[in-house]
Amino acid sequence: MVTEMKKRKIDWQQIKEMLTSTFSLRRKQIVEDEPPVADIRARWPALFSERQIEAEFARLTSVDLKGSLFAGLDKYLLRFLEVYRARSGLVELNSLLSTLDNDSSNQRQRAVVLMGLPYYLKDVAKLYKKVQVTDAEEDWTKGMAVGILMVEQNDRVGFAVVLEEEIIFPSISDFPTAVALLMGLLFALNIDYPRGLKYTFEVIQKVLMDIGGGQCSALVHGLSKLKSCFLHCC
């Protein structure tokens, strides 16, 4: 697998077969040994491609990675935006909602819902970090254990997924896709949700992606109860 990934023209069908046949061994090593991300990347480099993270997530959950998140976002989009607007005292939510005045596309609404979750749920950590393309690159990911990097250049923004201060997936087209790939990595690498973003990731998993949600998923219609639900029943 390592040799194949070094080739100029990678045989992705062969890579898929290799990852499928070594799934049990890989899970055993990842779950039991808990190696650093860098070690997993060196041992299983093919896993760190967008298409293979999607495949690994499907092997683990029998759920489509991007499809489940996007479907959940579209299902609850208007409800989330409604309750965000009702929290008029949260400056960060108001700032995000104001961006919809210039761009109310479905993609932008999805991004606002995801970006607003930590503020609405009062998680203490940040899901994303903004930098300017002119900033020193060595500072871009400093202090980021888990998150999305937003690189701003004039009126354009690029997205990347970060784990353990390393960019894993660069050049992602949009924020919701970056979040989906981040979720895929957390599942594939058996990484616990960071304490400061625990509620955010649980809402993404259990409500939006409908994985292990149970009665918490039903409470999306009373979103003010979501955090209480995760504290007491999930």
Side-chain angles (χ1 to χ4, degrees):
M1 186 184 303
V2 173
T3 301
E4 184 64 31
M5 288 300 295
K6 292 179 180 178
K7 294 180 180 179
R8 179 173 298 178
K9 187 175 181 180
I10 298 171
D11 185 340
W12 286 107
Q13 181 58 39
Q14 184 179 12
I15 289 294
K16 179 181 178 181
E17 292 171 0
M18 288 178 177
L19 284 172
T20 299
S21 64
T22 56
F23 176 70
S24 296
L25 172 62
R26 184 166 57 256
R27 292 309 295 169
K28 184 175 187 294
Q29 289 183 351
I30 290 173
V31 173
E32 293 184 2
D33 298 340
E34 299 182 346
V37 172
D39 290 356
I40 302 174
R41 200 173 187 178
R43 177 81 168 107
W44 308 98
L47 187 62
F48 292 79
S49 65
E50 190 169 330
R51 70 176 76 182
Q52 298 309 324
I53 274 296
E54 292 185 65
E56 190 82 344
F57 188 81
R59 282 189 282 266
L60 288 165
T61 66
S62 299
V63 170
D64 179 80
L65 177 59
K66 294 177 184 174
S68 61
L69 176 59
F70 299 163
L73 280 167
D74 291 344
K75 181 178 181 180
Y76 297 122
L77 203 57
L78 296 180
R79 180 61 180 136
F80 271 99
L81 293 176
E82 178 185 341
V83 297
Y84 284 4
R85 291 188 176 101
R87 297 290 293 274
S88 58
L90 292 177
V91 175
E92 296 87 355
L93 279 182
N94 289 339
S95 179
L96 285 170
L97 290 168
S98 69
T99 65
L100 297 176
D101 294 339
N102 298 320
D103 179 6
S104 60
S105 64
N106 178 260
Q107 191 73 304
R108 183 57 195 168
Q109 290 184 62
R110 287 175 172 178
V112 167
V113 167
L114 290 170
M115 291 178 177
L117 273 176
Y119 302 116
Y120 182 81
L121 296 169
K122 297 183 179 179
D123 269 336
V124 297
K126 291 184 177 181
L127 178 60
Y128 57 94
K129 178 182 179 181
K130 293 182 179 181
V131 299
Q132 298 292 326
V133 72
T134 53
D135 293 340
E137 290 190 21
E138 60 267 24
D139 295 332
W140 283 9
T141 61
K142 187 176 294 183
M144 291 186 71
V146 172
I148 309 298
L149 186 68
M150 299 172 61
V151 184
E152 299 178 336
Q153 182 177 20
N154 299 324
D155 294 329
R156 294 180 297 174
V157 180
F159 302 91
V161 174
V162 176
L163 285 180
E164 297 179 0
E165 297 190 344
E166 293 291 331
I167 292 178
I168 307 298
F169 292 128
S171 306
I172 300 171
S173 60
D174 57 84
F175 192 82
T177 297
V179 171
L181 292 174
L182 177 56
M183 290 297 294
L185 282 169
L186 295 178
F187 270 73
L189 306 183
N190 197 45
I191 296 175
D192 292 336
Y193 296 149
R195 184 174 299 178
L197 285 168
K198 181 179 187 298
Y199 301 116
T200 294
F201 283 116
E202 286 187 339
V203 168
I204 292 171
Q205 174 196 324
K206 298 180 181 181
V207 175
L208 297 178
M209 303 181 82
D210 196 22
I211 300 173
Q215 58 184 321
C216 283
S217 181
L219 286 181
V220 75
H221 297 291
L223 283 172
S224 62
K225 300 179 181 178
L226 270 178
K227 188 168 182 177
S228 175
C229 173
F230 288 124
L231 278 169
H232 301 295
C233 66
C234 290

